[in-house]
Amino acid sequence: SYELTQPPSLSVSPGQTARITCSGDALPKQYAYWYQQKPGQAPVLMIQKDSERPSGISERFSGSSSGTTVTLTISGVQAEDEADYYCQSADHTGDSVVFGGGTKLTVL
Amino acid sequence: EVQLVESGGGLVKPGGSLRLSCATSGFTFDTAWLSWIRQAPGKGLEWVGRINDKTEGEITDYAAPVRGRFTISRDDSKNTLYLQMNNLKTEDTALYYCTTGSHWGRGTRVTVSS
C-alpha cells in the first residue's frame, strides 16, 4: 500500500525556521495537504494543494513541492507552533487517501 | 460558521456494530466531499474513507483495513454524514472524525473491547 514518509520528530529554537518533509512516489501527481494537531484538539488545515494557505493561517506557514518530496516551512517558530504535523495526499489512482506518520515539532 | 458534530460512539464488543453520525451546518452540504478519519490512542491520523457528492454519484472509497466492514453514506436532506461499522475489531478503537478537509468535528470515541 502507498505510504508517505515524514521524520518522527524535529526540534527547533524559537525564531528559527522549521522544515518538515514528506516523501511519496505519487507526490509529483497528487496534491499534498498539511495539518497541525495540538494535544486534545482536532487537526487544523495549514496548507492545501501543496502551497496554498487557507484563510486565517499565519503567513509564517508555507508549503512547497519538489519531485517526490513536499515541505512545510514554518518561519520564525514560536512556542505556540509546538504540535504534531501531518501531511496528507493520495495514491497514484487518487482513490485512496494517505496520511504521513506525523512529525512532532518541539520548540526548545 | 461551519460546524461538524460527530455522535454515536461508545463501547462495543468485538464483532459488534455501531453507526456514527456527523451533523453539519454552515456550508453547502450537498456539494461537499466528506471523509471519516480516525486516530487510535497515541497514534497518528488514519483515513477511513470518503463519499463524493450526488453529482459525482455519491461514490465511496475505503481504506483497506475497513473495506467490506464499514459503509459511508449521506443524507443531503439532513446535512448528515454516516459511518456504519460492522464486525468491529479491537484495532478499530479510535477517535473518529468527520471532515470536509478544511473543517473537522471534535470526534466521537469508539472502543472495541470484550
Side-chain angles (χ1 to χ4, degrees):
Chain A
S1 62
Y2 183 58
E3 293 183 352
L4 295 173
T5 301
Q6 298 181 234
S9 62
L10 178 66
S11 298
V12 298
S13 299
Q16 289 190 326
T17 296
R19 293 181 180 85
I20 301 173
T21 59
C22 172
S23 299
D25 288 343
L27 287 173
K29 181 181 179 181
Q30 303 290 353
Y31 283 126
Y33 299 77
W34 288 96
Y35 294 92
Q36 176 194 69
Q37 187 181 33
K38 296 182 179 180
Q41 298 183 18
V44 174
L45 179 65
M46 306 302 284
I47 296 291
Q48 60 190 4
K49 295 183 179 180
D50 291 349
S51 59
E52 295 179 4
R53 198 170 42 248
S55 173
I57 300 301
S58 170
E59 293 181 356
R60 298 187 297 105
F61 290 84
S62 62
S64 61
S65 175
S66 179
T68 59
T69 299
V70 293
T71 302
L72 172 70
T73 299
I74 310 171
S75 304
V77 167
Q78 302 176 1
E80 67 194 45
D81 300 329
E82 188 164 284
D84 294 324
Y85 291 85
Y86 296 91
C87 62
Q88 178 225 300
S89 187
D91 67 4
H92 291 86
T93 68
D95 293 336
S96 184
V97 173
V98 176
F99 284 93
T103 298
K104 183 175 183 61
L105 176 67
T106 300
V107 181
L108 299 171
Chain B
E1 179 191 6
V2 174
Q3 288 195 324
L4 300 95
V5 180
E6 303 92 339
S7 62
L11 175 63
V12 61
K13 289 181 168 55
S17 298
L18 274 179
R19 188 197 196 200
L20 306 185
S21 299
C22 175
T24 76
S25 61
F27 64 98
T28 307
F29 183 86
D30 58 3
T31 60
W33 289 35
L34 298 153
S35 297
W36 287 97
I37 309 297
R38 67 185 182 183
Q39 189 167 35
K43 302 296 185 181
L45 301 174
E46 180 184 20
W47 179 71
V48 172
R50 71 180 173 197
I51 185 168
N52 61 24
D53 65 1
K54 195 170 188 176
T55 63
E56 299 286 342
E58 294 188 4
I59 293 173
T60 52
D61 293 298
Y62 299 94
V66 308
R67 197 173 294 133
R69 300 188 297 123
F70 289 12
T71 302
I72 297 173
S73 62
R74 61 192 295 160
D75 186 336
D76 290 353
S77 69
K78 296 181 179 179
N79 290 349
T80 300
L81 176 71
Y82 301 101
L83 178 64
Q84 177 67 45
M85 304 186 294
N86 297 331
N87 189 22
L88 282 159
K89 305 177 180 181
T90 55
E91 53 263 40
D92 295 319
T93 294
L95 184 63
Y96 284 74
Y97 295 102
C98 67
T99 178
T100 64
S102 53
H103 296 92
W104 294 59
R106 303 184 72 157
T108 186
R109 191 164 300 279
V110 172
T111 303
V112 185
S113 174
S114 56

